Amino acid sequence: MNAALDDTRVAPRDRAAPILASLPEPVPVDAFREQGAFLYLDTFLPRDVTDALIAGVRAVQGSVNRNYLPGHKQGGSVSRYTIDELAPAIAELYRSPVLIRWLETLCGEALQPSPDDDPHAYALYFYTKPGDHIGWHYDTSYYEGRRYTLLLGVIDDSSCFLEYRLHTREPNVPIVEDAVQIPPGGLVFFDGDKLHHRITPLGENEERVSLTFEYVTNPHMRPFQRFISNMKDAVAYFGFRQVFRQLLGKRTGRA
Ligand SMILES: [Fe+2]
């Protein structure tokens, strides 16, 4: 086992709390509110946490599922199931009470991790081939409550920008457009139904990997909404084998 993979298997629950104790204070609640439930920080995670995420990326990069949806998306993704198997330290960070409390303070709402059957609860996005991108979209919540997206920069040797538009669904509020790059350890946090955003195409000989954590205010999702959400995740992100793994497992007699 190589050192990087081994590092992802270090008991992270115990180490997460002291490391994350250095998260930015005070929590910038005013900036988040004034930007219509959006925040960007170019520095958020301590360097050693970012290093652990990079080790996690290297551990899963042989299991990337690539998609090409003409006119909308091109790139690779790794679902929470693969992360659970190969980079469990990322899953532990996702559930870190210290991290969740910081985010709750930021958005002013009680947050919960996404349910165990959501392949998008935490995921890695790989931009590794020229032209990899995702077009304009919202991170629509199929849950009965709100769905917040936390994007963490992990690797960014690229010219990609997160371009975004604030206040698009607020009557009588001028739309604000801007663009940022998310360096390793940087943060973007937003209400998925409020931020219109895209990632611009990757250039030649570039690499970009970001980590997404999804938190919800109500983990209940109606069955039809779950079906739509799963189909989207299967087609646009993780493939049918990952998304419908439990169903496929039962059909083939596996656990
Ligand atoms: Fe998105």
Side-chain angles (χ1 to χ4, degrees):
M1 183 181 294
N2 65 43
L5 180 58
D6 192 47
D7 185 57
T8 67
R9 295 177 185 277
V10 172
R13 187 185 299 278
D14 292 337
R15 75 181 182 186
I19 290 172
L20 294 173
S22 60
L23 293 182
E25 296 287 347
V27 181
V29 293
D30 291 343
F32 181 78
R33 186 182 63 250
E34 290 163 5
Q35 295 181 98
F38 168 84
L39 182 71
Y40 166 70
L41 295 175
D42 61 1
T43 302
F44 178 66
L45 291 175
R47 183 67 219 188
D48 45 4
V49 176
T50 305
D51 287 344
L53 297 182
I54 293 170
V57 165
R58 297 313 179 198
V60 305
Q61 63 186 8
S63 304
V64 175
N65 187 76
R66 285 191 58 83
N67 297 89
Y68 175 53
L69 299 177
H72 179 59
K73 181 179 182 290
Q74 174 185 309
S77 308
V78 168
S79 78
R80 62 98 52 87
Y81 303 123
T82 301
I83 290 173
D84 285 343
E85 291 176 15
L86 301 177
I90 292 177
E92 295 292 348
L93 179 63
Y94 174 70
R95 297 186 180 87
S96 162
V98 175
L99 176 61
I100 293 173
R101 272 200 300 274
W102 194 94
L103 297 171
E104 288 178 328
T105 302
L106 181 63
C107 70
E109 297 197 89
L111 298 177
Q112 299 185 45
S114 300
D116 289 344
D117 62 351
D118 188 334
H120 224 129
Y122 36 99
L124 286 158
Y125 300 144
F126 284 75
Y127 299 75
T128 54
K129 298 191 176 181
D132 281 0
H133 74 286
I134 186 165
W136 287 105
H137 68 283
Y138 294 92
D139 289 3
T140 303
S141 175
Y142 292 93
Y143 289 92
E144 295 193 6
R146 275 175 290 285
R147 175 195 194 215
Y148 285 92
T149 297
L150 171 63
L151 286 178
L152 296 168
V154 183
I155 295 169
D156 192 11
D157 297 314
S158 83
S159 57
C160 291
F161 278 86
L162 167 70
E163 294 186 345
Y164 60 87
R165 305 169 74 224
L166 308 178
H167 311 302
T168 56
R169 290 173 166 173
E170 295 177 64
N172 305 317
V173 178
I175 292 173
V176 174
E177 298 188 16
D178 209 339
V180 294
Q181 292 185 296
I182 312 173
L187 163 148
V188 168
F189 185 68
F190 58 91
D191 180 332
D193 281 296
K194 293 183 177 175
L195 189 77
H196 202 214
H197 61 286
R198 71 170 177 170
I199 301 291
T200 59
L202 192 78
E204 298 279 348
N205 301 312
E206 295 183 351
E207 179 185 29
R208 179 181 188 275
V209 182
S210 66
L211 175 63
T212 181
F213 287 173
E214 308 286 349
Y215 298 97
V216 296
T217 59
N218 179 343
H220 188 257
M221 189 186 291
R222 296 172 192 273
F224 181 71
Q225 306 301 108
R226 172 56 69 194
F227 174 74
I228 296 296
S229 179
N230 280 342
M231 289 298 290
K232 181 175 70 69
D233 280 343
V235 171
Y237 292 94
F238 310 121
F240 285 86
R241 187 185 298 269
Q242 279 286 306
V243 173
F244 295 101
R245 62 202 291 272
Q246 289 178 314
L247 183 61
L248 291 169
K250 285 173 185 169
R251 280 182 175 170
T252 57
R254 288 183 272 113

PDB file of all heavy atoms in Angstrom, residues 112-143:
ATOM      1  N   GLN A 112     -28.182  18.690   7.984  1.00  0.00           N
ATOM      2  CA  GLN A 112     -27.955  17.264   8.173  1.00  0.00           C
ATOM      3  C   GLN A 112     -27.183  16.719   6.979  1.00  0.00           C
ATOM      4  O   GLN A 112     -27.352  17.209   5.858  1.00  0.00           O
ATOM      5  CB  GLN A 112     -29.287  16.518   8.282  1.00  0.00           C
ATOM      6  CG  GLN A 112     -30.142  16.957   9.450  1.00  0.00           C
ATOM      7  CD  GLN A 112     -31.384  16.108   9.576  1.00  0.00           C
ATOM      8  OE1 GLN A 112     -31.320  14.885   9.484  1.00  0.00           O
ATOM      9  NE2 GLN A 112     -32.523  16.759   9.765  1.00  0.00           N
ATOM     10  N   PRO A 113     -26.380  15.688   7.206  1.00  0.00           N
ATOM     11  CA  PRO A 113     -25.776  15.015   6.044  1.00  0.00           C
ATOM     12  C   PRO A 113     -26.875  14.441   5.149  1.00  0.00           C
ATOM     13  O   PRO A 113     -27.976  14.116   5.623  1.00  0.00           O
ATOM     14  CB  PRO A 113     -24.948  13.890   6.682  1.00  0.00           C
ATOM     15  CG  PRO A 113     -24.723  14.326   8.092  1.00  0.00           C
ATOM     16  CD  PRO A 113     -25.957  15.098   8.477  1.00  0.00           C
ATOM     17  N   SER A 114     -26.598  14.315   3.876  1.00  0.00           N
ATOM     18  CA  SER A 114     -27.535  13.661   2.980  1.00  0.00           C
ATOM     19  C   SER A 114     -27.641  12.183   3.359  1.00  0.00           C
ATOM     20  O   SER A 114     -26.697  11.612   3.907  1.00  0.00           O
ATOM     21  CB  SER A 114     -27.063  13.792   1.533  1.00  0.00           C
ATOM     22  OG  SER A 114     -26.972  15.155   1.165  1.00  0.00           O
ATOM     23  N   PRO A 115     -28.780  11.559   3.073  1.00  0.00           N
ATOM     24  CA  PRO A 115     -28.968  10.149   3.470  1.00  0.00           C
ATOM     25  C   PRO A 115     -27.951   9.220   2.811  1.00  0.00           C
ATOM     26  O   PRO A 115     -27.334   9.550   1.803  1.00  0.00           O
ATOM     27  CB  PRO A 115     -30.386   9.838   2.961  1.00  0.00           C
ATOM     28  CG  PRO A 115     -31.051  11.148   2.793  1.00  0.00           C
ATOM     29  CD  PRO A 115     -29.977  12.128   2.435  1.00  0.00           C
ATOM     30  N   ASP A 116     -27.842   8.012   3.390  1.00  0.00           N
ATOM     31  CA  ASP A 116     -26.838   7.054   2.920  1.00  0.00           C
ATOM     32  C   ASP A 116     -27.058   6.613   1.479  1.00  0.00           C
ATOM     33  O   ASP A 116     -26.125   6.142   0.827  1.00  0.00           O
ATOM     34  CB  ASP A 116     -26.843   5.815   3.829  1.00  0.00           C
ATOM     35  CG  ASP A 116     -26.278   6.116   5.202  1.00  0.00           C
ATOM     36  OD1 ASP A 116     -25.622   7.167   5.362  1.00  0.00           O
ATOM     37  OD2 ASP A 116     -26.503   5.306   6.121  1.00  0.00           O
ATOM     38  N   ASP A 117     -28.293   6.736   0.976  1.00  0.00           N
ATOM     39  CA  ASP A 117     -28.555   6.276  -0.386  1.00  0.00           C
ATOM     40  C   ASP A 117     -28.421   7.400  -1.418  1.00  0.00           C
ATOM     41  O   ASP A 117     -28.849   7.236  -2.561  1.00  0.00           O
ATOM     42  CB  ASP A 117     -29.942   5.620  -0.494  1.00  0.00           C
ATOM     43  CG  ASP A 117     -31.069   6.589  -0.165  1.00  0.00           C
ATOM     44  OD1 ASP A 117     -30.793   7.713   0.318  1.00  0.00           O
ATOM     45  OD2 ASP A 117     -32.239   6.215  -0.388  1.00  0.00           O
ATOM     46  N   ASP A 118     -27.836   8.527  -1.016  1.00  0.00           N
ATOM     47  CA  ASP A 118     -27.605   9.607  -1.975  1.00  0.00           C
ATOM     48  C   ASP A 118     -26.158   9.535  -2.467  1.00  0.00           C
ATOM     49  O   ASP A 118     -25.228   9.844  -1.711  1.00  0.00           O
ATOM     50  CB  ASP A 118     -27.865  10.968  -1.318  1.00  0.00           C
ATOM     51  CG  ASP A 118     -27.825  12.111  -2.324  1.00  0.00           C
ATOM     52  OD1 ASP A 118     -27.139  11.963  -3.356  1.00  0.00           O
ATOM     53  OD2 ASP A 118     -28.468  13.144  -2.077  1.00  0.00           O
ATOM     54  N   PRO A 119     -25.952   9.137  -3.729  1.00  0.00           N
ATOM     55  CA  PRO A 119     -24.572   8.990  -4.224  1.00  0.00           C
ATOM     56  C   PRO A 119     -23.823  10.308  -4.317  1.00  0.00           C
ATOM     57  O   PRO A 119     -22.597  10.332  -4.435  1.00  0.00           O
ATOM     58  CB  PRO A 119     -24.767   8.369  -5.620  1.00  0.00           C
ATOM     59  CG  PRO A 119     -26.148   8.737  -6.015  1.00  0.00           C
ATOM     60  CD  PRO A 119     -26.956   8.809  -4.745  1.00  0.00           C
ATOM     61  N   HIS A 120     -24.586  11.427  -4.247  1.00  0.00           N
ATOM     62  CA  HIS A 120     -23.992  12.752  -4.409  1.00  0.00           C
ATOM     63  C   HIS A 120     -23.726  13.426  -3.062  1.00  0.00           C
ATOM     64  O   HIS A 120     -23.341  14.598  -3.023  1.00  0.00           O
ATOM     65  CB  HIS A 120     -24.943  13.624  -5.235  1.00  0.00           C
ATOM     66  CG  HIS A 120     -24.246  14.416  -6.293  1.00  0.00           C
ATOM     67  ND1 HIS A 120     -24.632  14.435  -7.604  1.00  0.00           N
ATOM     68  CD2 HIS A 120     -23.167  15.205  -6.231  1.00  0.00           C
ATOM     69  CE1 HIS A 120     -23.826  15.211  -8.300  1.00  0.00           C
ATOM     70  NE2 HIS A 120     -22.932  15.700  -7.485  1.00  0.00           N
ATOM     71  N   ALA A 121     -23.934  12.709  -1.959  1.00  0.00           N
ATOM     72  CA  ALA A 121     -23.749  13.312  -0.634  1.00  0.00           C
ATOM     73  C   ALA A 121     -22.362  13.938  -0.534  1.00  0.00           C
ATOM     74  O   ALA A 121     -22.210  15.063  -0.059  1.00  0.00           O
ATOM     75  CB  ALA A 121     -23.936  12.260   0.446  1.00  0.00           C
ATOM     76  N   TYR A 122     -21.370  13.197  -0.986  1.00  0.00           N
ATOM     77  CA  TYR A 122     -20.021  13.750  -1.135  1.00  0.00           C
ATOM     78  C   TYR A 122     -19.433  13.099  -2.370  1.00  0.00           C
ATOM     79  O   TYR A 122     -19.607  11.914  -2.622  1.00  0.00           O
ATOM     80  CB  TYR A 122     -19.148  13.530   0.106  1.00  0.00           C
ATOM     81  CG  TYR A 122     -19.342  12.227   0.832  1.00  0.00           C
ATOM     82  CD1 TYR A 122     -18.483  11.151   0.633  1.00  0.00           C
ATOM     83  CD2 TYR A 122     -20.391  12.065   1.730  1.00  0.00           C
ATOM     84  CE1 TYR A 122     -18.656   9.948   1.306  1.00  0.00           C
ATOM     85  CE2 TYR A 122     -20.574  10.865   2.397  1.00  0.00           C
ATOM     86  CZ  TYR A 122     -19.713   9.810   2.184  1.00  0.00           C
ATOM     87  OH  TYR A 122     -19.904   8.624   2.847  1.00  0.00           O
ATOM     88  N   ALA A 123     -18.762  13.904  -3.151  1.00  0.00           N
ATOM     89  CA  ALA A 123     -18.288  13.416  -4.445  1.00  0.00           C
ATOM     90  C   ALA A 123     -17.108  14.265  -4.894  1.00  0.00           C
ATOM     91  O   ALA A 123     -16.934  15.409  -4.463  1.00  0.00           O
ATOM     92  CB  ALA A 123     -19.413  13.493  -5.483  1.00  0.00           C
ATOM     93  N   LEU A 124     -16.306  13.680  -5.760  1.00  0.00           N
ATOM     94  CA  LEU A 124     -15.166  14.389  -6.348  1.00  0.00           C
ATOM     95  C   LEU A 124     -15.445  14.618  -7.824  1.00  0.00           C
ATOM     96  O   LEU A 124     -15.941  13.724  -8.525  1.00  0.00           O
ATOM     97  CB  LEU A 124     -13.884  13.568  -6.182  1.00  0.00           C
ATOM     98  CG  LEU A 124     -13.304  13.540  -4.760  1.00  0.00           C
ATOM     99  CD1 LEU A 124     -12.399  12.331  -4.575  1.00  0.00           C
ATOM    100  CD2 LEU A 124     -12.544  14.838  -4.464  1.00  0.00           C
ATOM    101  N   TYR A 125     -15.126  15.824  -8.289  1.00  0.00           N
ATOM    102  CA  TYR A 125     -15.253  16.151  -9.701  1.00  0.00           C
ATOM    103  C   TYR A 125     -13.857  16.281 -10.294  1.00  0.00           C
ATOM    104  O   TYR A 125     -13.034  17.067  -9.806  1.00  0.00           O
ATOM    105  CB  TYR A 125     -15.987  17.480  -9.891  1.00  0.00           C
ATOM    106  CG  TYR A 125     -17.386  17.521  -9.337  1.00  0.00           C
ATOM    107  CD1 TYR A 125     -17.874  18.685  -8.757  1.00  0.00           C
ATOM    108  CD2 TYR A 125     -18.228  16.420  -9.404  1.00  0.00           C
ATOM    109  CE1 TYR A 125     -19.169  18.748  -8.256  1.00  0.00           C
ATOM    110  CE2 TYR A 125     -19.516  16.467  -8.898  1.00  0.00           C
ATOM    111  CZ  TYR A 125     -19.981  17.635  -8.325  1.00  0.00           C
ATOM    112  OH  TYR A 125     -21.249  17.686  -7.826  1.00  0.00           O
ATOM    113  N   PHE A 126     -13.624  15.538 -11.374  1.00  0.00           N
ATOM    114  CA  PHE A 126     -12.314  15.534 -12.031  1.00  0.00           C
ATOM    115  C   PHE A 126     -12.409  16.244 -13.381  1.00  0.00           C
ATOM    116  O   PHE A 126     -13.171  15.823 -14.252  1.00  0.00           O
ATOM    117  CB  PHE A 126     -11.833  14.097 -12.257  1.00  0.00           C
ATOM    118  CG  PHE A 126     -11.317  13.420 -11.014  1.00  0.00           C
ATOM    119  CD1 PHE A 126     -12.204  12.967 -10.045  1.00  0.00           C
ATOM    120  CD2 PHE A 126      -9.961  13.232 -10.809  1.00  0.00           C
ATOM    121  CE1 PHE A 126     -11.750  12.347  -8.894  1.00  0.00           C
ATOM    122  CE2 PHE A 126      -9.487  12.606  -9.667  1.00  0.00           C
ATOM    123  CZ  PHE A 126     -10.383  12.162  -8.712  1.00  0.00           C
ATOM    124  N   TYR A 127     -11.610  17.294 -13.524  1.00  0.00           N
ATOM    125  CA  TYR A 127     -11.446  17.967 -14.808  1.00  0.00           C
ATOM    126  C   TYR A 127     -10.029  17.643 -15.253  1.00  0.00           C
ATOM    127  O   TYR A 127      -9.055  18.196 -14.713  1.00  0.00           O
ATOM    128  CB  TYR A 127     -11.641  19.478 -14.646  1.00  0.00           C
ATOM    129  CG  TYR A 127     -13.022  19.862 -14.152  1.00  0.00           C
ATOM    130  CD1 TYR A 127     -13.381  19.679 -12.827  1.00  0.00           C
ATOM    131  CD2 TYR A 127     -13.953  20.400 -15.024  1.00  0.00           C
ATOM    132  CE1 TYR A 127     -14.634  20.018 -12.369  1.00  0.00           C
ATOM    133  CE2 TYR A 127     -15.226  20.756 -14.581  1.00  0.00           C
ATOM    134  CZ  TYR A 127     -15.549  20.565 -13.248  1.00  0.00           C
ATOM    135  OH  TYR A 127     -16.796  20.903 -12.806  1.00  0.00           O
ATOM    136  N   THR A 128      -9.893  16.719 -16.178  1.00  0.00           N
ATOM    137  CA  THR A 128      -8.567  16.197 -16.524  1.00  0.00           C
ATOM    138  C   THR A 128      -8.293  16.202 -18.020  1.00  0.00           C
ATOM    139  O   THR A 128      -7.151  15.981 -18.421  1.00  0.00           O
ATOM    140  CB  THR A 128      -8.408  14.755 -16.000  1.00  0.00           C
ATOM    141  OG1 THR A 128      -9.499  13.966 -16.485  1.00  0.00           O
ATOM    142  CG2 THR A 128      -8.391  14.737 -14.474  1.00  0.00           C
ATOM    143  N   LYS A 129      -9.330  16.409 -18.849  1.00  0.00           N
ATOM    144  CA  LYS A 129      -9.124  16.428 -20.295  1.00  0.00           C
ATOM    145  C   LYS A 129      -9.555  17.780 -20.847  1.00  0.00           C
ATOM    146  O   LYS A 129     -10.523  18.374 -20.349  1.00  0.00           O
ATOM    147  CB  LYS A 129      -9.916  15.298 -20.959  1.00  0.00           C
ATOM    148  CG  LYS A 129      -9.449  13.929 -20.488  1.00  0.00           C
ATOM    149  CD  LYS A 129     -10.012  12.805 -21.307  1.00  0.00           C
ATOM    150  CE  LYS A 129      -9.402  11.485 -20.830  1.00  0.00           C
ATOM    151  NZ  LYS A 129      -9.866  10.323 -21.574  1.00  0.00           N
ATOM    152  N   PRO A 130      -8.831  18.269 -21.862  1.00  0.00           N
ATOM    153  CA  PRO A 130      -9.179  19.581 -22.418  1.00  0.00           C
ATOM    154  C   PRO A 130     -10.666  19.657 -22.753  1.00  0.00           C
ATOM    155  O   PRO A 130     -11.227  18.730 -23.337  1.00  0.00           O
ATOM    156  CB  PRO A 130      -8.324  19.659 -23.687  1.00  0.00           C
ATOM    157  CG  PRO A 130      -7.156  18.778 -23.398  1.00  0.00           C
ATOM    158  CD  PRO A 130      -7.686  17.645 -22.557  1.00  0.00           C
ATOM    159  N   GLY A 131     -11.270  20.760 -22.354  1.00  0.00           N
ATOM    160  CA  GLY A 131     -12.695  20.946 -22.619  1.00  0.00           C
ATOM    161  C   GLY A 131     -13.605  20.469 -21.505  1.00  0.00           C
ATOM    162  O   GLY A 131     -14.818  20.728 -21.544  1.00  0.00           O
ATOM    163  N   ASP A 132     -13.064  19.782 -20.496  1.00  0.00           N
ATOM    164  CA  ASP A 132     -13.918  19.377 -19.377  1.00  0.00           C
ATOM    165  C   ASP A 132     -14.558  20.619 -18.754  1.00  0.00           C
ATOM    166  O   ASP A 132     -13.878  21.624 -18.494  1.00  0.00           O
ATOM    167  CB  ASP A 132     -13.109  18.623 -18.313  1.00  0.00           C
ATOM    168  CG  ASP A 132     -12.844  17.176 -18.696  1.00  0.00           C
ATOM    169  OD1 ASP A 132     -13.284  16.755 -19.776  1.00  0.00           O
ATOM    170  OD2 ASP A 132     -12.187  16.471 -17.894  1.00  0.00           O
ATOM    171  N   HIS A 133     -15.832  20.542 -18.486  1.00  0.00           N
ATOM    172  CA  HIS A 133     -16.579  21.709 -18.001  1.00  0.00           C
ATOM    173  C   HIS A 133     -17.950  21.259 -17.517  1.00  0.00           C
ATOM    174  O   HIS A 133     -18.328  20.094 -17.702  1.00  0.00           O
ATOM    175  CB  HIS A 133     -16.781  22.724 -19.136  1.00  0.00           C
ATOM    176  CG  HIS A 133     -17.808  22.274 -20.132  1.00  0.00           C
ATOM    177  ND1 HIS A 133     -17.559  21.282 -21.058  1.00  0.00           N
ATOM    178  CD2 HIS A 133     -19.109  22.653 -20.316  1.00  0.00           C
ATOM    179  CE1 HIS A 133     -18.647  21.076 -21.776  1.00  0.00           C
ATOM    180  NE2 HIS A 133     -19.602  21.887 -21.350  1.00  0.00           N
ATOM    181  N   ILE A 134     -18.700  22.196 -16.937  1.00  0.00           N
ATOM    182  CA  ILE A 134     -20.149  21.996 -16.740  1.00  0.00           C
ATOM    183  C   ILE A 134     -20.824  23.320 -17.034  1.00  0.00           C
ATOM    184  O   ILE A 134     -20.338  24.387 -16.642  1.00  0.00           O
ATOM    185  CB  ILE A 134     -20.485  21.441 -15.340  1.00  0.00           C
ATOM    186  CG1 ILE A 134     -21.990  21.122 -15.265  1.00  0.00           C
ATOM    187  CG2 ILE A 134     -20.081  22.399 -14.233  1.00  0.00           C
ATOM    188  CD1 ILE A 134     -22.361  20.234 -14.083  1.00  0.00           C
ATOM    189  N   GLY A 135     -21.936  23.253 -17.747  1.00  0.00           N
ATOM    190  CA  GLY A 135     -22.647  24.450 -18.168  1.00  0.00           C
ATOM    191  C   GLY A 135     -23.486  25.056 -17.055  1.00  0.00           C
ATOM    192  O   GLY A 135     -23.551  24.544 -15.922  1.00  0.00           O
ATOM    193  N   TRP A 136     -24.148  26.151 -17.377  1.00  0.00           N
ATOM    194  CA  TRP A 136     -24.950  26.886 -16.394  1.00  0.00           C
ATOM    195  C   TRP A 136     -26.034  25.996 -15.798  1.00  0.00           C
ATOM    196  O   TRP A 136     -26.761  25.312 -16.528  1.00  0.00           O
ATOM    197  CB  TRP A 136     -25.604  28.104 -17.047  1.00  0.00           C
ATOM    198  CG  TRP A 136     -24.644  29.205 -17.351  1.00  0.00           C
ATOM    199  CD1 TRP A 136     -24.143  29.549 -18.570  1.00  0.00           C
ATOM    200  CD2 TRP A 136     -24.083  30.138 -16.405  1.00  0.00           C
ATOM    201  NE1 TRP A 136     -23.288  30.625 -18.442  1.00  0.00           N
ATOM    202  CE2 TRP A 136     -23.236  31.009 -17.137  1.00  0.00           C
ATOM    203  CE3 TRP A 136     -24.205  30.303 -15.021  1.00  0.00           C
ATOM    204  CZ2 TRP A 136     -22.517  32.040 -16.528  1.00  0.00           C
ATOM    205  CZ3 TRP A 136     -23.485  31.317 -14.417  1.00  0.00           C
ATOM    206  CH2 TRP A 136     -22.660  32.173 -15.163  1.00  0.00           C
ATOM    207  N   HIS A 137     -26.141  26.024 -14.480  1.00  0.00           N
ATOM    208  CA  HIS A 137     -27.159  25.209 -13.805  1.00  0.00           C
ATOM    209  C   HIS A 137     -27.319  25.675 -12.361  1.00  0.00           C
ATOM    210  O   HIS A 137     -26.514  26.464 -11.854  1.00  0.00           O
ATOM    211  CB  HIS A 137     -26.747  23.729 -13.812  1.00  0.00           C
ATOM    212  CG  HIS A 137     -25.538  23.436 -12.964  1.00  0.00           C
ATOM    213  ND1 HIS A 137     -24.256  23.736 -13.368  1.00  0.00           N
ATOM    214  CD2 HIS A 137     -25.420  22.897 -11.725  1.00  0.00           C
ATOM    215  CE1 HIS A 137     -23.403  23.385 -12.424  1.00  0.00           C
ATOM    216  NE2 HIS A 137     -24.076  22.877 -11.407  1.00  0.00           N
ATOM    217  N   TYR A 138     -28.368  25.177 -11.743  1.00  0.00           N
ATOM    218  CA  TYR A 138     -28.540  25.265 -10.283  1.00  0.00           C
ATOM    219  C   TYR A 138     -28.307  23.870  -9.715  1.00  0.00           C
ATOM    220  O   TYR A 138     -28.489  22.862 -10.413  1.00  0.00           O
ATOM    221  CB  TYR A 138     -29.965  25.702  -9.925  1.00  0.00           C
ATOM    222  CG  TYR A 138     -30.324  27.107 -10.350  1.00  0.00           C
ATOM    223  CD1 TYR A 138     -30.922  27.335 -11.589  1.00  0.00           C
ATOM    224  CD2 TYR A 138     -30.090  28.191  -9.526  1.00  0.00           C
ATOM    225  CE1 TYR A 138     -31.269  28.615 -11.989  1.00  0.00           C
ATOM    226  CE2 TYR A 138     -30.434  29.478  -9.907  1.00  0.00           C
ATOM    227  CZ  TYR A 138     -31.015  29.688 -11.148  1.00  0.00           C
ATOM    228  OH  TYR A 138     -31.351  30.954 -11.545  1.00  0.00           O
ATOM    229  N   ASP A 139     -27.900  23.795  -8.445  1.00  0.00           N
ATOM    230  CA  ASP A 139     -27.838  22.501  -7.760  1.00  0.00           C
ATOM    231  C   ASP A 139     -29.222  22.271  -7.142  1.00  0.00           C
ATOM    232  O   ASP A 139     -29.421  22.423  -5.931  1.00  0.00           O
ATOM    233  CB  ASP A 139     -26.754  22.503  -6.676  1.00  0.00           C
ATOM    234  CG  ASP A 139     -25.345  22.507  -7.258  1.00  0.00           C
ATOM    235  OD1 ASP A 139     -25.201  22.561  -8.495  1.00  0.00           O
ATOM    236  OD2 ASP A 139     -24.393  22.456  -6.460  1.00  0.00           O
ATOM    237  N   THR A 140     -30.152  21.882  -7.978  1.00  0.00           N
ATOM    238  CA  THR A 140     -31.555  21.772  -7.562  1.00  0.00           C
ATOM    239  C   THR A 140     -31.718  20.777  -6.426  1.00  0.00           C
ATOM    240  O   THR A 140     -31.144  19.684  -6.459  1.00  0.00           O
ATOM    241  CB  THR A 140     -32.405  21.326  -8.763  1.00  0.00           C
ATOM    242  OG1 THR A 140     -32.219  22.264  -9.819  1.00  0.00           O
ATOM    243  CG2 THR A 140     -33.869  21.232  -8.389  1.00  0.00           C
ATOM    244  N   SER A 141     -32.512  21.163  -5.446  1.00  0.00           N
ATOM    245  CA  SER A 141     -32.829  20.252  -4.349  1.00  0.00           C
ATOM    246  C   SER A 141     -34.029  19.397  -4.720  1.00  0.00           C
ATOM    247  O   SER A 141     -35.093  19.915  -5.040  1.00  0.00           O
ATOM    248  CB  SER A 141     -33.145  21.031  -3.067  1.00  0.00           C
ATOM    249  OG  SER A 141     -33.553  20.135  -2.045  1.00  0.00           O
ATOM    250  N   TYR A 142     -33.843  18.086  -4.667  1.00  0.00           N
ATOM    251  CA  TYR A 142     -34.985  17.180  -4.827  1.00  0.00           C
ATOM    252  C   TYR A 142     -35.517  16.767  -3.461  1.00  0.00           C
ATOM    253  O   TYR A 142     -36.454  15.988  -3.372  1.00  0.00           O
ATOM    254  CB  TYR A 142     -34.578  15.959  -5.649  1.00  0.00           C
ATOM    255  CG  TYR A 142     -34.269  16.308  -7.092  1.00  0.00           C
ATOM    256  CD1 TYR A 142     -32.981  16.611  -7.513  1.00  0.00           C
ATOM    257  CD2 TYR A 142     -35.290  16.352  -8.037  1.00  0.00           C
ATOM    258  CE1 TYR A 142     -32.701  16.944  -8.825  1.00  0.00           C
ATOM    259  CE2 TYR A 142     -35.030  16.687  -9.354  1.00  0.00           C
ATOM    260  CZ  TYR A 142     -33.734  16.978  -9.739  1.00  0.00           C
ATOM    261  OH  TYR A 142     -33.476  17.316 -11.037  1.00  0.00           O
ATOM    262  N   TYR A 143     -34.884  17.291  -2.425  1.00  0.00           N
ATOM    263  CA  TYR A 143     -35.353  17.024  -1.062  1.00  0.00           C
ATOM    264  C   TYR A 143     -36.525  17.939  -0.721  1.00  0.00           C
ATOM    265  O   TYR A 143     -36.798  18.915  -1.431  1.00  0.00           O
ATOM    266  CB  TYR A 143     -34.205  17.233  -0.066  1.00  0.00           C
ATOM    267  CG  TYR A 143     -33.157  16.155  -0.153  1.00  0.00           C
ATOM    268  CD1 TYR A 143     -32.049  16.306  -0.975  1.00  0.00           C
ATOM    269  CD2 TYR A 143     -33.291  14.970   0.563  1.00  0.00           C
ATOM    270  CE1 TYR A 143     -31.097  15.298  -1.084  1.00  0.00           C
ATOM    271  CE2 TYR A 143     -32.340  13.960   0.460  1.00  0.00           C
ATOM    272  CZ  TYR A 143     -31.255  14.134  -0.365  1.00  0.00           C
ATOM    273  OH  TYR A 143     -30.334  13.133  -0.478  1.00  0.00           O
TER     274      TYR A 143
END
